[in-house]
Amino acid sequence: MTSPLLTRPGAVDDTGADSGVAWHYGDPTAEQRALAAGRAVSDQSHLGIVTVTGPDRLSWLDSLTTQQVATLAPGESSELMVLSPQGRIEHVAGIVDDGETAWLISESAPALALFLDRMRFMLRVEVADATETWAAVGEAVGAPAAPGEPVTWVDPWPGIVAGGTTYAASPEEPHPGAERAWRLVLVPRVELEAAIDARVDAGWTLVGTWATEAARIEAHRPRASREVDDHSLPHELDWLRTAVHLHKGCYRGQETVAKVHNVGRPPRRLTMLHLDGSGHALPEPGAPVMKGDGDDAQQVGRVTSVARHHELGPIALAVLKRSVDPSTVLTVPSDGGPLAASQELIVNADGFSADRPPKPGPTMKGLLMGKGCAADGGDLPD
C-alpha cells in the first residue's frame, strides 16, 4: 500500500521492503537527530497486521511459536517466531494482546495469516489479515500504552526476556541498543494522517525509514525482511534475546533450537560493518562480503542492511561465516568501487551462548536434550 504521507513536502519514496512509505522528508540528518533525541514519529504503515481472536488464542499461539505467550497480560508486548521443522525462521512477529484480540505485527502478514488459519483445527480462534484496515505509527518511546491509548507494541530489544539468552560477544558490557526506545501504535488506517499530525503539532519531527533504519542498525537489531533468508537460525542473529523461550513446551523447530544451543554452534553470525566513508558510495543489500584480494578473494557472507548514520557514517549489518576472523578487514563491492569494512561483533565468533550448558559427563549423556518434540524433524545444521 502507498501511504498518503508520501504527498507531504520533501517526501521521497523508499524502495524494496519499505516501498510505500517515505525514505526521508528532505533532511535525513535532522530526522536522525530528532529520532535519537526521542521526539520523532515515523510512518510504519507498510507493516502488516494480523489479528487473532477467540478464548483459545494465546494458548494456541504458545503451542505454535517460539515464545511463551499463554499468560501474556493485556497490554504486555512480546516477540515470537514461527520456525520450519528444521528450525529455520519462517515468520517473525511482535505481539500484544488487549484482552480480547492478539495483535501480530509482521512483515509477512499474508503468509503468516494463511499459516495460522490452516492450524486452527477445532480450537476457538479466528485469524484475519487486518493490514487493509489498521496501520502502525512508530514512536521513539519505550513506554507501554497508558489507559485509554490505542493498542501499542513496545520493542523488547535488546533486553533478554524470561527464557531467553544471548550470543553477544561481550554480554557483560552495555548493549549498543540499550538507549534505543521504539514502539508501534496501532491506529485505524483511515486515521493514519490525523495520528501523525497530532504528534507533529505537539512538536515532534516526522522521520522516514532512513532515520529508523540507521538507528536499528546501530542497535544491532535484526529484521525479518532484511537479515533472514531460507537458512536463518535464531541463534545466528542473537534473536534468542527476545523471540525464543528455551524452556517452554513443544513447538515446531524446537529440537533444532535446543541442539544448537546445548551442543552445537550456529554456522553463521550477524555482524555490524563500519564501511569506508571517504566516498559517497554505499553497497546494496545482498552485496557479497569478501575476504582477501585478487585471485585469493573469497565470499564470506552478504550485506543485509545498509544506512548512512548521522554520527557513525556508513554502517551495515551482514551475515558472515562464523569462522571469519573478527579482526579481518573485509571488502564490499559498490558502484564506487570496493569499500573496506571493519567488523563490530554482534554474535560472538565462538558460537556459544552466555548460558550454554556444560558438556555432559559420562553419567549425563542424553540428559541435556530431554524429551524430543513430535513436531520437529530434520538434522542439526552444519
Side-chain angles (χ1 to χ4, degrees):
M1 297 183 183
T2 300
S3 172
L5 290 159
L6 281 174
T7 62
R8 299 294 173 96
V12 177
D13 194 0
D14 206 336
T15 59
D18 293 329
S19 177
V21 296
W23 184 33
H24 62 82
Y25 294 91
D27 193 345
T29 298
E31 292 172 26
Q32 289 189 54
R33 288 173 177 159
L35 185 65
R39 51 178 181 81
V41 59
S42 177
D43 177 8
Q44 297 286 302
S45 61
H46 58 310
L47 299 177
I49 298 173
V50 175
T51 58
V52 183
T53 56
D56 297 331
R57 66 189 182 281
L58 291 179
S59 59
W60 176 66
L61 287 169
D62 188 281
S63 70
L64 294 174
T65 69
T66 57
Q67 191 55 272
Q68 190 172 69
V69 295
T71 58
L72 195 68
E76 183 181 0
S77 299
S78 188
E79 187 174 34
L80 53 78
M81 293 178 175
V82 173
L83 304 181
S84 74
Q86 293 76 35
R88 315 294 183 182
I89 300 172
E90 291 188 344
H91 304 286
V92 181
I95 178 173
V96 58
D97 193 87
D98 63 8
E100 296 181 353
T101 301
W103 300 79
L104 303 177
I105 306 170
S106 174
E107 296 190 89
S108 58
L112 175 59
L114 181 61
F115 167 80
L116 292 175
D117 195 55
R118 288 174 173 172
M119 300 299 290
R120 289 188 302 134
F121 303 115
M122 300 298 291
L123 294 175
R124 298 170 296 169
V125 294
E126 295 294 333
V127 179
D129 184 349
T131 307
E132 290 189 359
T133 53
W134 289 86
V137 174
E139 296 181 335
V141 176
E149 290 185 340
V151 174
T152 300
W153 177 76
V154 180
D155 190 354
W157 187 269
I160 302 175
V161 302
T165 189
T166 179
Y167 279 76
S170 302
E172 70 284 352
E173 296 182 1
H175 193 279
E179 301 301 318
R180 172 180 172 266
W182 185 246
R183 71 180 189 177
L184 297 172
V185 180
L186 303 186
V187 300
R189 190 166 287 272
V190 295
E191 299 177 10
L192 173 63
E193 286 193 277
I196 294 285
D197 287 340
R199 290 156 173 81
V200 173
D201 291 344
W204 290 19
T205 300
L206 178 59
V207 307
T209 57
W210 183 330
T212 58
E213 283 294 276
R216 178 183 69 85
I217 294 171
E218 179 189 16
H220 299 176
R221 209 315 179 201
R223 179 178 166 186
S225 66
R226 300 292 190 182
E227 278 64 59
V228 174
D229 59 27
D230 291 341
H231 304 287
S232 295
L233 300 168
H235 319 64
E236 298 175 333
L237 307 174
D238 201 22
W239 230 331
L240 272 70
R241 284 180 173 272
T242 56
V244 178
H245 195 292
L246 289 168
H247 312 298
K248 58 164 285 188
C250 179
Y251 57 88
R252 192 170 72 166
Q254 182 188 33
E255 186 173 354
T256 296
V257 170
K259 281 182 179 179
V260 175
H261 174 250
N262 291 331
V263 297
R265 291 191 287 179
R268 303 182 299 178
R269 58 179 176 85
L270 185 67
T271 192
M272 181 168 149
L273 299 179
H274 292 268
L275 303 169
D276 180 2
S278 57
H280 297 287
L282 287 176
E284 293 292 330
V289 179
M290 309 298 294
K291 184 178 81 169
D293 300 314
D295 294 339
D296 295 330
Q298 58 177 311
Q299 182 175 346
V300 295
R302 65 179 180 90
V303 172
T304 56
S305 299
V306 184
R308 191 177 296 278
H309 193 277
H310 71 291
E311 291 181 340
L312 300 178
I315 55 177
L317 295 179
V319 176
L320 308 178
K321 294 179 180 178
R322 183 177 47 79
S323 58
V324 176
D325 187 337
S327 65
T328 300
V329 176
L330 307 169
T331 57
V332 181
S334 73
D335 289 342
L339 302 174
S342 61
Q343 302 177 56
E344 179 178 326
L345 281 176
I346 297 177
V347 171
N348 69 69
D350 292 333
F352 299 146
S353 73
D355 57 352
R356 180 187 176 95
K359 291 183 178 181
T363 62
M364 295 175 62
K365 186 176 180 180
L367 294 182
L368 288 177
M369 288 303 302
K371 182 180 179 181
C373 180
D376 285 331
D379 299 322
L380 181 68
D382 295 333

